[in-house]
Amino acid sequence: MAKKSRTRVVRKTRASRKRRSVRAPVPVPPRRGERAGHRIALTVNGSRRERTVEPRLLLVDFLRDHLHLTGTHVGCDTSHCGACTVLLDGRPVKSCTVFAVQADGSEVVTIEGLASAGRMHPVQQAFRENHGLQCGYCTPGVVLAAVAFLRENKAPSEDEIRVANG
Ligand code: FES
């Protein structure tokens, strides 16, 4: 019995020695003035943007902290409220559930990119005229979700609006 257990200890030691000899991958150093991470390029509100970002960076934080587009708000940070909604390749997404690296090569529209030539988007104008703001914190996300919805259904019934809203 004792002999068996001694053998096991010897094997473990050899295995650990072998493991230690495997070299860990060496991270590629960032270019001068750049942080380590992934290089991404995307179009945001019609402008091409390139940045080096950490793979764990959320799209909402990329928009707010890297591009200073602070119209996209973080409400719940748990994917429930929709305050962070932006259009990603024309589809509404909660930008707190998307990594910035996942948006690489895509087109993003935030609330800042909705107006054109100094004129509000018709949905923005409708919100303004009908006092649809409430406190205003989630309004950018609600407006963008409404824009995407109305692109797919130009004349929705009240029931369709209620289902889309649910
Ligand atoms: S912050 Fe609430 S869903 Fe993204």
Side-chain angles (χ1 to χ4, degrees), residues 28-39:
V28 178
R31 283 184 260 170
R32 176 175 257 170
E34 249 185 18
R35 288 188 294 180
H38 291 260
R39 190 79 183 160

Side-chain angles (χ1 to χ4, degrees), residues 24-160:
V26 179
V28 178
R31 283 184 260 170
R32 176 175 257 170
E34 249 185 18
R35 288 188 294 180
H38 291 260
R39 190 79 183 160
I40 59 170
L42 53 162
T43 303
V44 181
N45 298 334
S47 302
R48 186 175 165 84
R49 304 298 190 104
E50 289 184 41
R51 294 287 190 282
T52 299
V53 298
E54 287 185 46
R56 65 183 178 161
L57 182 72
L58 295 173
L59 180 58
V60 66
D61 295 325
F62 173 72
L63 295 169
R64 291 181 56 84
D65 301 338
H66 289 242
L67 304 185
H68 309 293
L69 295 171
T70 54
T72 304
H73 294 160
V74 178
C76 63
D77 215 4
T78 54
S79 184
H80 284 92
C81 72
C84 63
T85 299
V86 298
L87 302 182
L88 182 64
D89 291 330
R91 301 185 63 202
V93 297
K94 294 172 183 171
S95 57
C96 74
T97 65
V98 177
F99 291 116
V101 292
Q102 291 177 294
D104 186 24
S106 299
E107 189 168 321
V108 176
V109 175
T110 69
I111 195 70
E112 291 92 342
L114 211 50
S116 64
R119 294 178 66 102
M120 282 194 275
H121 186 279
V123 173
Q124 290 175 302
Q125 188 63 38
F127 266 68
R128 183 177 185 213
E129 289 170 6
N130 294 287
H131 308 288
L133 304 175
Q134 299 185 35
C135 79
Y137 191 79
C138 62
T139 305
V142 175
V143 167
L144 285 163
V147 167
F149 173 66
L150 291 170
R151 275 186 192 154
E152 298 214 341
N153 188 346
K154 299 219 180 304
S157 66
E158 186 177 328
D159 283 347
E160 288 171 322

